[in-house]
Amino acid sequence: MNDASRYLRQAIELARANVEAGGRPFGAVVVNNGEVIASAVNEMHLSHDVTDHAELLAIRAAARIHGPEALEGSAVYASGHPCPMCLAAMRLAGVGTVAFAYSNEDGAPFNLSTADIYAELKRPFAEQSMAISHMPVERESGQSLYEQWVRARDGRR
């Protein structure tokens, strides 16, 4: 068995244990340089937080324990197809590889697919079901919020 299969099996076993504990069938493992640096399961059933997905919790744990640089180029192995939120977080974190065992097609009969969300996000804002708009606000001071951030950041260096 190759490493990817081993890590995917770990993610699936985490997901199976989560189902037995009353949770959803999702587990994730973060690997850096051949070492598992974090793992997690979907905890929505415990926290009632819709963002407590296995992938997000695993990358949060990896960053907390090893620092955010440990995620740069790392791999995430997930039991199911990552949703757009999780995939975006992995990109922002610098994850280099993502592999998943069960596809959106596998999950669709069980209402566990995020394919509709992916399709919706491809459409222009004006055509999406959620109202999304850019509403510039006049500056009250001479510098923009982002300029303030750069100055504050540069002042801390």
Side-chain angles (χ1 to χ4, degrees), residues 54-122:
E55 300 92 336
L56 284 181
L57 293 173
I59 61 176
R60 288 174 188 158
R64 221 177 9 260
I65 296 166
H66 302 284
E69 59 281 347
L71 291 163
E72 194 65 43
S74 66
V76 174
Y77 297 90
S79 60
H81 190 291
C83 75
M85 173 183 66
C86 291
L87 197 58
M90 288 185 266
R91 284 184 179 271
L92 288 169
V95 170
T97 304
V98 178
F100 54 93
Y102 288 85
S103 69
N104 271 327
E105 292 77 18
D106 295 328
F110 308 98
N111 199 29
L112 294 172
S113 172
T114 56
D116 289 345
I117 298 171
Y118 274 102
E120 172 100 357
L121 290 173
K122 288 181 183 179

